Amino acid sequence: MKKTLAIFAMCAALVAGLALAGCSSSKSTDDLGLLTPGKLTVATSPDYPPFENLEGDEVVGFEVDLWNALGEKMGLEIEVVSMQFDAIIPAVVAGGKCDVGISGFSYLPERAEQVDFTESYFVDNQAVAVMKDSGLAAPADLNVEGKKIAVQTGTTGESWAQENYPNAQIIGFGNSNDCFAAMQSGKADAVCTNLAVVEAMLADAYSDATIVDQSATAEEYAMVVSKDNPALTQALNDAIAELQKDGTIDELAAKWFQ
Amino acid sequence: MTKQSLKTMATKALSIFLLLCLGLSFSIAVEPPSSYALETVKCTARPNSDDTNGNVLGGKETRVTWEGQCAADESLSGLSLTFPEGTEFSIADARVTALTGEDMMTREAVDATFIADGQTIVASFTDDIAAGRYVRFEVYGVFFPRTGGEMQLTGTFTLSDGTTAEIAGIPAINVTSSSIAQSWADSLSKKPWVQKWNSNKFLRLFLNPPILVKSFPIVFKGFLMALAVVALAFPIAIPIGFLLSLMRISRRKVLRGIATTYVNVIRGTPLFLQIYIAFFGLPLAGISVPNYPLGVIVLSLNSSAYLCEIFRAGIQSIPKGQFEASRSLGMNGRQTMLSVIIPQMLRRVLPTMTSEFILLYKDTSLLAAVGFMEVVMYAKTIVAATGSITPYIVAACFYLIITLPMAKFVGKFENRLATGDVVQKKKRKKRNGFGNGGDDGGEVVLTESGLESVEDAGITPEEFSSM
């Protein structure tokens, strides 16, 4: 009976939490509809170098510099909330947790049904990495029964791997660090994710891995904003356009992608 | 393009298409244009099932990608792809890209206009694509027929000199028929009451009917997996835990030390961390175990530490007098354990063991972090694809299906243990002439309505019955 009580209490807490979340998202006086006036709350999954990853306890990367530049342009303070990649869009849709999701989101029509995308600020491709000593030299070696490709769940890499490696087994992980760890430890034979990330990982922690396949999929990175908040999307678009015009974005790209 | 013009086009579409086909087949039949070659490298559709099995479902939006290599001396001015009957597609977002360079990583945007012509999407390029290019054609908003099957696309290409020929070697796309749940979900989402229901943000996010229906069979697969793990891990954990508990109360220091260290280390670290160490650490050390057995091993090792403490507490809760009495009757240590202590201990620890089972079952969710396909993992993939929290609610139900009856079982068992004592005492009372004749009704009242509060008040059930 204590259990039932506990379960009831849990349900009550859940409902209360939801009600609170609902309140905070619907009630905002600022014309940008920000969670906290004057502050842009950015949701990100800091495991995606060179876009955003943790160095010590600090989040660094291309998108970090980008959102800081955006904050400066828009006169907003930036607050970063970390969450798992596949939790960001649901959080943006639900509201109450963040104003914008910036975490290497490629534009996808399906995603666009749930959230609004800003203008794109980067174009990336897909790549597949394997360990150098794995003996996998060509994509065909990997597209066979029993080979495992690690992907981050909810990413374009996941569906690209499924589409182009139908015979291999695709294993989903919560973040891209775990994908690479799985490849190194032999839990998976390969990792499929965005090219810029693969290059950054290979240049840094996984120098014993190599790219076995890549495809110019031309995915356009953009930020995701709730459909209830077109004013913010517009404001972000204006700021991105300005950053593009004054060369800031090119500068940042040159800094992070070499 | 307006809807009007699209419609008029659609009326013309079939005749034009037939003519085109006829002309094509004729030209091929008369003189196979062997020099005109556009070799298909791939033709695939993006997997669109909410599951992660990578299937392409009928009746659900997908994107078709065709890629081909132009002959070294032919430049393209147009491309067309014809979808099988019953397939819908959109010309919005369609794009053609030319790829060059080593690894085909250099993109050249191709300026093209797209026309839907019946089942055919026709791309006409503003400028011809240079000879020898690798060309990619992407069509969005494709809905294959619900029934699925092998979808054979056909296509044509037009060269800069105006000749048109068929694209060779397009592989069929294997489309899975949409599941019953999927069709049901689709029909649900069109119903007015569902739309009204979903207009409420809270209901749409947490109890979205179509997503509820859709995620149920998918999460169910995870449910079976979680059951399979716990059904093996728990029985394995019981003997290990029992052995550890005997070691913990052993007189030998070494045995006691080993068991105590093990229990303290396992109970003192989060299971989440243990899973990470086992899944990422062991393979690095050269030990490779497949996911399922590894999951079972980690969970049973973890649970055995907790069970050890449960058993130890159970054994030590038996009054010392019983040990002494058995020994004085001439039983040795082993006999005492087997026929006096353990039977009593088991009865006492059964409720706590069940609780431990519930904990272990819930902990299978932690395996999601390492790509283990169980309840939470499946739910997560649908959440990521739909942006609704509903699959998590479905997942919660799959935990409750097991944990609620179990919790009830624990409660009943605790009651029975308590009333068992009462019955014994009552019998004794009856012999003494104070009992109320083994009134079953009284017992029911006792067990179902008031035991908890009676216990909380610190009064024994016996006192309650005599009040």
Side-chain angles (χ1 to χ4, degrees):
Chain A
M1 231 166 277
K2 266 185 186 146
K3 286 245 152 52
T4 5
L5 263 180
I7 288 164
F8 178 75
M10 256 155 45
C11 291
L14 183 74
V15 168
L18 295 176
L20 279 178
C23 285
S24 56
S25 67
S26 61
K27 196 173 62 188
S28 61
T29 45
D30 197 39
D31 52 342
L32 287 183
L34 298 176
L35 284 182
T36 344
K39 208 184 241 181
L40 185 69
T41 312
V42 177
T44 193
S45 167
D47 54 19
Y48 213 54
F51 294 95
E52 54 269 314
N53 66 306
L54 286 169
E55 240 177 56
D57 54 357
E58 204 187 346
V59 188
V60 295
F62 170 74
E63 284 180 330
V64 180
D65 287 354
L66 179 65
W67 70 55
N68 285 334
L70 275 178
E72 223 166 275
K73 270 268 179 300
M74 298 165 77
L76 294 171
E77 208 182 309
I78 301 289
E79 187 176 324
V80 179
V81 231
S82 303
M83 48 180 94
Q84 277 211 348
F85 180 76
D86 54 8
I88 296 175
I89 286 186
V92 167
V93 172
K97 272 246 183 285
C98 57
D99 297 311
V100 57
I102 308 179
S103 201
F105 282 103
S106 315
Y107 176 87
L108 285 181
E110 301 94 280
R111 284 180 182 158
E113 274 173 27
Q114 303 163 32
V115 286
D116 281 340
F117 276 91
T118 64
E119 292 300 320
S120 161
Y121 51 84
F122 185 71
V123 178
D124 202 2
N125 303 311
Q126 289 295 332
V128 179
V130 295
M131 298 306 285
K132 276 179 186 157
D133 57 10
S134 65
L136 300 162
D141 296 340
L142 205 53
N143 190 18
V144 290
E145 195 100 14
K147 291 289 176 211
K148 298 184 191 120
I149 303 177
V151 297
Q152 189 178 2
T153 47
T155 60
T156 47
E158 182 180 30
S159 54
W160 190 84
Q162 285 169 345
E163 181 174 349
N164 292 284
Y165 290 87
N167 299 328
Q169 189 191 346
I170 312 295
I171 325 176
F173 289 87
N175 64 61
S176 70
N177 287 334
D178 285 355
C179 296
F180 281 89
M183 174 178 73
Q184 190 173 51
S185 69
K187 278 261 136 207
D189 299 292
V191 173
C192 177
T193 187
N194 286 93
L195 178 60
V197 176
V198 172
E199 280 175 344
M201 287 289 201
L202 263 50
D204 188 20
Y206 296 92
S207 50
D208 43 357
T210 180
I211 294 176
V212 71
D213 187 14
Q214 50 186 333
S215 175
T217 49
E219 288 159 32
E220 295 173 346
Y221 280 26
M223 305 169 191
V224 293
V225 185
S226 164
K227 279 195 184 295
D228 300 338
N229 200 353
L232 180 60
T233 313
Q234 190 53 51
L236 286 168
N237 278 342
D238 294 345
I240 292 171
E242 272 182 58
L243 290 178
Q244 222 131 29
K245 212 193 260 172
D246 67 14
T248 313
I249 289 185
D250 290 339
E251 228 170 80
L252 293 181
K255 175 182 167 192
W256 289 101
F257 308 108
Q258 277 320 319
Chain B
M1 183 161 307
T2 61
K3 266 190 177 167
Q4 202 77 42
S5 62
L6 262 176
K7 256 184 190 166
T8 47
M9 201 113 50
T11 50
K12 288 186 207 164
L14 198 66
S15 53
I16 294 173
F17 173 63
L18 281 175
L19 273 171
L20 202 80
C21 286
L22 206 72
L24 255 177
S25 54
F26 186 69
S27 72
I28 290 167
V30 170
E31 188 193 19
S34 54
S35 62
Y36 306 139
L38 185 56
E39 201 183 316
T40 303
V41 175
K42 68 166 226 177
C43 181
T44 52
R46 189 176 50 206
N48 58 0
S49 67
D50 292 318
D51 207 327
T52 49
N53 57 16
N55 285 341
V56 181
L57 292 181
K60 195 159 183 250
E61 185 175 358
T62 179
R63 177 196 67 198
V64 167
T65 308
W66 172 91
E67 286 176 10
Q69 177 67 53
C70 299
D73 53 351
E74 291 172 358
S75 58
L76 286 181
S77 68
L79 268 178
S80 82
L81 276 180
T82 304
F83 291 92
E85 209 57 49
T87 308
E88 291 170 38
F89 62 90
S90 152
I91 57 167
D93 297 323
R95 64 177 174 181
V96 175
T97 322
L99 304 170
T100 56
E102 200 191 337
D103 290 334
M104 302 299 166
M105 289 305 284
T106 315
R107 280 184 302 270
E108 278 173 22
V110 176
D111 203 9
T113 51
F114 298 94
I115 305 168
D117 181 5
Q119 288 303 104
T120 307
I121 180 167
V122 182
S124 320
F125 310 138
T126 316
D127 302 308
D128 292 353
I129 295 178
R133 287 286 187 268
Y134 185 87
V135 182
R136 176 185 292 151
F137 190 178
E138 287 161 295
V139 186
Y140 283 87
V142 177
F143 291 82
F144 284 111
R146 218 164 255 298
T147 44
E150 296 273 305
M151 293 294 142
Q152 181 64 59
L153 275 69
T154 54
T156 62
F157 62 97
T158 310
L159 296 177
S160 45
D161 61 7
T163 48
T164 298
E166 194 154 353
I167 300 172
I170 300 182
I173 297 172
N174 192 8
V175 176
T176 314
S177 63
S178 74
S179 63
I180 300 166
Q182 178 71 43
S183 318
W184 189 17
D186 289 346
S187 72
L188 262 184
S189 55
K190 286 184 195 114
K191 292 227 166 77
W193 72 266
V194 175
Q195 278 160 3
K196 203 170 167 202
W197 173 282
N198 279 348
S199 63
N200 179 311
K201 190 174 179 183
F202 175 82
L203 293 176
R204 186 182 67 237
L205 280 178
F206 289 88
L207 293 164
N208 194 331
I211 297 178
L212 202 72
V213 166
K214 202 156 65 172
S215 49
F216 197 85
I218 298 171
V219 180
F220 182 72
K221 283 196 267 181
F223 173 65
L224 294 183
M225 196 64 202
L227 278 188
V229 170
V230 83
L232 203 58
F234 197 65
I236 292 176
I238 292 174
I240 303 177
F242 187 67
L243 206 72
L244 283 169
S245 72
L246 291 183
M247 282 164 75
R248 277 211 77 174
I249 53 174
S250 157
R251 284 216 183 86
R252 280 187 206 151
K253 235 182 182 165
V254 183
L255 289 182
R256 219 165 53 221
I258 293 171
T260 310
T261 313
Y262 178 81
V263 168
N264 284 343
V265 168
I266 295 285
R267 296 209 316 167
T269 52
L271 174 57
F272 193 67
L273 197 65
Q274 294 162 14
I275 290 173
Y276 259 54
I277 291 173
F279 275 74
F280 293 126
L282 283 186
L284 280 180
I287 307 162
S288 189
V289 188
N291 270 0
Y292 175 71
L294 191 55
V296 169
I297 290 169
V298 176
L299 286 185
S300 55
L301 286 184
N302 178 275
S303 193
S304 65
Y306 288 88
L307 284 174
C308 162
E309 287 303 274
I310 291 171
F311 290 139
R312 186 182 60 89
I315 292 170
Q316 289 179 340
S317 75
I318 310 289
K320 218 176 175 186
Q322 300 220 11
F323 287 89
E324 290 163 357
S326 318
R327 297 311 285 269
S328 68
L329 283 173
M331 289 177 162
N332 60 23
R334 195 193 152 112
Q335 284 171 321
T336 309
M337 262 299 166
L338 282 177
S339 47
V340 178
I341 309 299
I342 291 176
Q344 297 186 77
M345 182 271 289
L346 273 183
R347 222 168 70 123
R348 291 193 181 186
V349 299
L350 216 56
T352 355
M353 266 176 73
T354 318
S355 299
E356 171 59 25
F357 179 85
I358 292 175
L359 283 179
L360 187 67
Y361 173 60
K362 288 190 298 183
D363 282 346
T364 55
S365 62
L366 293 175
L367 291 171
V370 287
F372 195 93
M373 296 309 289
E374 49 65 69
V375 179
V376 170
M377 191 69 183
Y378 275 111
K380 225 166 70 157
T381 57
I382 316 172
V383 169
T386 59
S388 170
I389 308 297
T390 313
Y392 287 149
I393 306 293
V394 175
C397 293
F398 277 117
Y399 285 106
L400 291 175
I401 281 178
I402 298 295
T403 53
L404 284 185
M406 281 286 184
K408 190 147 185 165
F409 172 76
V410 173
K412 273 228 170 111
F413 213 88
E414 278 170 350
N415 284 355
R416 228 176 79 195
L417 283 184
T419 50
D421 289 346
V422 173
V423 170
Q424 275 176 9
K425 280 174 187 164
K426 262 186 197 160
K427 274 182 187 158
R428 208 170 53 230
K429 270 198 208 165
K430 201 175 159 190
R431 267 203 305 276
N432 294 339
F434 294 118
N436 53 4
D439 188 353
D440 281 330
E443 242 174 69
V444 172
V445 171
L446 193 69
T447 53
E448 290 203 344
S449 65
L451 186 64
E452 198 79 22
S453 57
V454 169
E455 268 185 1
D456 286 348
I459 309 169
T460 64
E462 196 198 345
E463 280 168 325
F464 180 75
S465 69
S466 60
M467 265 190 236

